[in-house]
Amino acid sequence: MTTRLPTYFVSHGGGPWPWMPDMRDMLASLDTALADMPRQIGRTPKAVLMITAHWEERAFTLGSNPAPGMVYDYGGFPAHTYSVVYPAPGAPELALRVQGLLQEAGLPVALDPQRGYDHGTFVPLAVMYPDAKVPVLQMSLRAGLDPAEHIALGRALAPLRDEDVLIVGSGLSYHNLRNFGSGGRAPSKAFDVWLQEAMAASPSVRAEALVNWESAPAARICHPREEHLLPLMVAVGAAYDDAAECVYHDETVFGGVTASSFRFG
């Protein structure tokens, strides 16, 4: 019997940082944390299901292309970062399996045979699995960004953990592009203290805290728009009863911002 895989929420950093030496040095602790995930997991999964903060659709949408291209969804970076290629194969059969799970759960789901990997997907994976041999299924958030619905999505995906599929929510625990540097230091720290406490709580308390995340200290300063927090809801839902562990924590990101990542199970 295959051992159940954990789930992860990863703070994926900024833009195409692995291909920019100065930025990669700044994010050295994130680099180390992402690179350590295969060791933590203990084996190579059959596939990675990546829920990316950089894709929203009216229904939860799955990339069904067997050979996805690239989506360079960032701006103002060096020219070479717009020719980066992460050639991991897609996972169209897994897309059909996930489609069935969501239909059974009564959640809206669609397939997209065209969309390529955005940087919420290819950036962390390029550090986790640099050889790009593990098949990848990219999945969108749902427009409206309802926390409870994204926890329900995670719960529908939970059987995949017993099918050797690694579920990763890719976002950022602090995401206010207009308030990096010293201005983000205090709010990001306050929000992270709340987040650490929420993740350490019992399953029902943790889920309730996430549904009501806007009541957290500095919540709307840290997330003027919550798309980078929603992948956490999916990772928690898929490992609903499992304990959390903080696997990445840095208080110096982007000039003083605090950011964290978590493993569940």
Side-chain angles (χ1 to χ4, degrees), residues 69-156:
M70 305 293 290
V71 177
Y72 303 113
D73 55 336
Y74 41 73
F77 291 95
H80 74 271
T81 65
Y82 298 89
S83 58
V84 166
V85 175
Y86 186 75
E93 292 183 3
L94 178 59
L96 295 177
R97 167 67 173 144
V98 174
Q99 181 184 39
L101 289 172
L102 269 61
Q103 288 171 339
E104 291 174 10
L107 295 171
V109 61
L111 301 178
D112 184 334
Q114 302 299 325
R115 187 177 172 89
Y117 298 138
D118 63 52
H119 86 270
T121 294
F122 72 77
V123 163
L125 283 172
V127 182
M128 292 166 57
Y129 296 112
D131 61 3
K133 292 181 179 178
V134 180
V136 177
L137 174 60
Q138 183 174 261
M139 186 174 193
S140 79
L141 304 175
R142 189 183 182 205
L145 305 179
D146 182 337
E149 187 174 46
H150 286 77
I151 292 173
L153 167 64
R155 301 200 76 164

Side-chain angles (χ1 to χ4, degrees), residues 78-258:
H80 74 271
T81 65
Y82 298 89
S83 58
V84 166
V85 175
Y86 186 75
E93 292 183 3
L94 178 59
L96 295 177
R97 167 67 173 144
V98 174
Q99 181 184 39
L101 289 172
L102 269 61
Q103 288 171 339
E104 291 174 10
L107 295 171
V109 61
L111 301 178
D112 184 334
Q114 302 299 325
R115 187 177 172 89
Y117 298 138
D118 63 52
H119 86 270
T121 294
F122 72 77
V123 163
L125 283 172
V127 182
M128 292 166 57
Y129 296 112
D131 61 3
K133 292 181 179 178
V134 180
V136 177
L137 174 60
Q138 183 174 261
M139 186 174 193
S140 79
L141 304 175
R142 189 183 182 205
L145 305 179
D146 182 337
E149 187 174 46
H150 286 77
I151 292 173
L153 167 64
R155 301 200 76 164
L157 297 173
L160 299 175
R161 297 176 62 201
D162 294 314
E163 299 172 18
D164 211 25
V165 175
L166 178 64
I167 299 171
V168 180
S170 176
L172 202 60
S173 64
Y174 175 91
H175 193 256
N176 185 338
L177 297 179
R178 297 186 177 184
N179 198 29
F180 283 135
S182 60
R185 182 174 290 113
S188 66
K189 178 64 174 177
F191 186 78
D192 190 82
V193 168
W194 171 86
L195 187 61
Q196 299 286 345
E197 293 176 352
M199 294 302 96
S202 65
S204 60
V205 171
R206 180 171 66 190
E208 183 178 4
L210 290 177
V211 169
N212 297 296
W213 73 273
E214 288 180 272
S215 64
R220 279 298 179 188
I221 298 175
C222 297
H223 292 280
R225 194 171 183 277
E226 57 266 43
E227 81 286 346
H228 274 67
L229 192 62
L230 268 292
L232 172 62
M233 318 302 184
V234 184
V236 166
Y240 192 85
D241 294 319
D242 290 345
E245 180 181 351
C246 183
V247 292
Y248 160 71
H249 180 80
D250 193 339
E251 298 182 8
T252 65
V253 178
F254 304 118
V257 165
T258 297

